[in-house]
Amino acid sequence: MTQLIALSLQDLAPISDGTSTAAALQETVALAQLADQLGYQRVWYAEHHGMPSIASSSPEVLIASAAARTNAIHIGSGGVMLPNHVPLRVVETYRTLAGLYPGRIDLGIGRAGGSDGRTLQALRSFGGEHFSEQLGEMLAFDNEDFGIEHPFSRVQVTPSGVQLPPIWLLGSSGASASAAGSIGAGYAFAAHFSHAPAAPAFDAYRAAFRASTHFAKPHAMLCVSVVCAPTDEEARFLSGSQALSLGIVSFG
């Protein structure tokens, strides 16, 4: 029996030569609408800063825009680069999105900054070494389970009555996979830029998995780059620059 694989998209809002930033941002809506019509499961928006050819610096804005113009497809972040954000603000933002579009929002979380050092300094980024602490704080705000002596235990998180959407951790190592499993999150392996094999990370994720509200069993995704073109010959040509950037050389 043939098993269908659910397909999803990640959009960086690329600004192509000869087009404007405004046009690239409008194209994110058109792509989400097409993916919705074709039956894709989700579309995620990346967070990158200081890159002139990429317009996806505010995934939450793109999520709200696309969700308002689609019907069934899941819309989410791929991902929120947590070191760049205060955890409470992430909870407020994604609770708001979950309340506006129930059952359709995903919260993908990454530990990288998504930019160069100077830009991250301007963002007041906390740095990836504090990722576990930030993730724990974010979950504690959402679950309202700070210890009674903790100074944040009396913080009123709003909007209330809405919880964060399903959380996915994005990574390319066994450590990130184990972390995802331990909190009952989904896991997305970044094979589109990692040379490491995905299987060991998936094994670590499954071994560490504990059921949660959103995920009763492990749920993993493999993220790969795909080049589409009208012909195989054109697709091979277009893939050349990507293969070069990843250090992939093909002979024959």
Side-chain angles (χ1 to χ4, degrees), residues 19-252:
T19 63
S20 67
T21 299
L25 291 171
Q26 291 298 322
E27 187 65 24
T28 65
V29 176
L31 180 61
Q33 290 175 322
L34 179 60
D36 194 23
Q37 295 167 9
L38 294 176
Y40 279 76
Q41 190 167 37
R42 53 178 48 88
V43 58
W44 281 359
Y45 298 102
E47 177 189 339
H48 290 289
H49 302 277
M51 298 183 181
S53 62
I54 293 176
S56 60
S57 58
S58 299
E60 63 273 16
V61 177
L62 298 179
I63 290 168
S65 175
R69 294 168 175 81
T70 53
N71 298 311
I73 193 168
H74 283 230
I75 310 289
S77 58
V80 169
M81 299 294 101
L82 193 56
N84 301 340
H85 303 275
V86 176
L88 175 59
R89 193 71 182 95
V90 175
V91 175
E92 291 176 335
T93 299
Y94 282 83
R95 276 190 177 188
T96 300
L97 289 168
L100 288 169
Y101 308 103
R104 294 187 55 208
I105 304 298
D106 295 328
L107 174 53
I109 296 286
R111 67 176 298 153
S115 191
D116 62 277
R118 189 177 298 274
T119 302
L120 295 179
Q121 185 179 10
L123 286 166
R124 307 297 194 272
S125 181
F126 293 94
E129 64 271 20
H130 299 290
F131 177 77
S132 295
E133 178 184 343
Q134 285 189 286
L135 181 62
E137 186 174 303
M138 187 190 79
L139 295 174
F141 273 125
D142 189 48
N143 297 325
E144 300 180 0
D145 60 1
F146 282 109
I148 192 169
E149 299 299 325
H150 196 285
F152 294 162
S153 63
R154 294 181 292 278
V155 173
Q156 298 296 312
V157 183
T158 57
S160 60
V162 182
Q163 282 198 304
L164 284 176
I167 295 172
W168 296 75
L169 290 194
L170 319 181
S172 57
S173 68
S176 59
S178 296
S182 69
I183 64 171
Y187 179 64
F189 183 84
H192 57 301
F193 65 74
S194 173
H195 293 292
F202 285 150
D203 289 341
Y205 169 61
R206 295 186 186 98
F209 185 82
R210 294 187 298 177
S212 65
T213 301
H214 292 297
F215 295 101
K217 59 183 180 179
H219 201 139
M221 286 194 290
L222 181 66
C223 307
V224 298
S225 294
V226 176
V227 177
C228 299
T231 65
D232 290 347
E233 182 179 11
E234 186 175 352
R236 292 191 189 96
F237 174 78
L238 292 174
S239 69
S241 58
Q242 183 181 68
L244 182 63
S245 68
L246 292 174
I248 300 172
V249 180
S250 176
F251 298 96

